Amino acid sequence: MKNLILAHSGFGKTTSMGQIPELGIKGLDPKTTFVISTRARGLPFKGGHKNYKVINKPDEEGNRMITNNPLMIARILKYLSNPKSHITDVVIDDFNFTMQDYYMKNGLSGGFDAFKTIGKEQYAIYEVLNSHFEGPEKNLWVMAHPEVTSEGMREKWIMKTVGKMTRDAITPEGNFDQIFLGLAVWDDIENKAKKLFITNEHELISGAKSWVGMFDELEIPNDLGFIKHKINEYYS
């Protein structure tokens, strides 16, 4: 199943995949999870460095690669989607940099060709998404920053992209089964921010979607393990 997680920087998108008992986050099992990081930075939870060993090729022994190259990411996804692979969950974090980094390096010199290249390479990823990640056996989790516009009295969130080709020709949101929006609300009782995922249309934000009957609540914990449990429960 293909899942898109949209939240602002600092919300805790990466944290939601970690196994963090002190925060009540079940997270994903490192033994069956592969992480594609577009930035060479640490994972913000205890045991992240130990449990997610960085490798250079997907057939090496390890479960994390660092690359922002869309064509490389497409190859990794195709390799991991093989039913014989023990990997059940693939995380891409943070997807926006697969577009932004190329543009910052080539935008001035490449002109419009830079946008065409971005669109073409992004499509290579979506081709793999739409042909290899069906059902609960293989879950894809794409973390990204949102672009915020207005829809009446509400905010409308879509994936932040680079260039009209990616936005208009691909329409990223339409390639995902479910979209979860990260919302931080202040808890006056505990005097701290409470971080949630929105599962469907909300009074404050538009853009979330989930399968009918999968979630009983509009607001759920920011926990990919919780979502995966609901996916498995839904299919069984």
Side-chain angles (χ1 to χ4, degrees), residues 67-163:
T67 178
N68 60 6
N69 185 315
L71 299 182
M72 173 62 75
I73 292 174
R75 288 195 291 269
I76 296 170
L77 292 177
K78 191 170 184 179
Y79 178 84
L80 296 174
S81 67
N82 189 318
K84 295 181 180 179
S85 170
H86 73 285
I87 296 297
T88 60
D89 295 274
V90 182
V91 178
I92 303 178
D93 181 33
D94 184 310
F95 195 77
N96 302 89
F97 293 118
T98 64
M99 297 170 273
Q100 292 170 201
D101 288 348
Y102 182 89
Y103 176 72
M104 292 305 295
K105 291 178 181 178
N106 301 279
L108 291 178
S109 60
F112 182 65
D113 285 342
F115 294 110
K116 291 194 294 184
T117 299
I118 291 171
K120 181 179 179 180
E121 292 186 349
Q122 287 293 303
Y123 185 68
I125 296 177
Y126 288 106
E127 276 193 306
V128 180
L129 261 63
N130 289 313
S131 58
H132 291 83
F133 286 87
E134 297 295 332
E137 294 81 12
K138 298 283 184 179
N139 292 298
L140 179 67
W141 310 89
V142 173
M143 315 284 198
H145 295 141
E147 178 181 335
V148 180
T149 60
S150 61
E151 186 178 73
M153 300 297 291
R154 299 186 298 168
E155 291 183 350
K156 180 174 178 59
W157 288 17
I158 58 176
M159 184 196 292
K160 187 176 182 180
T161 60
V162 174

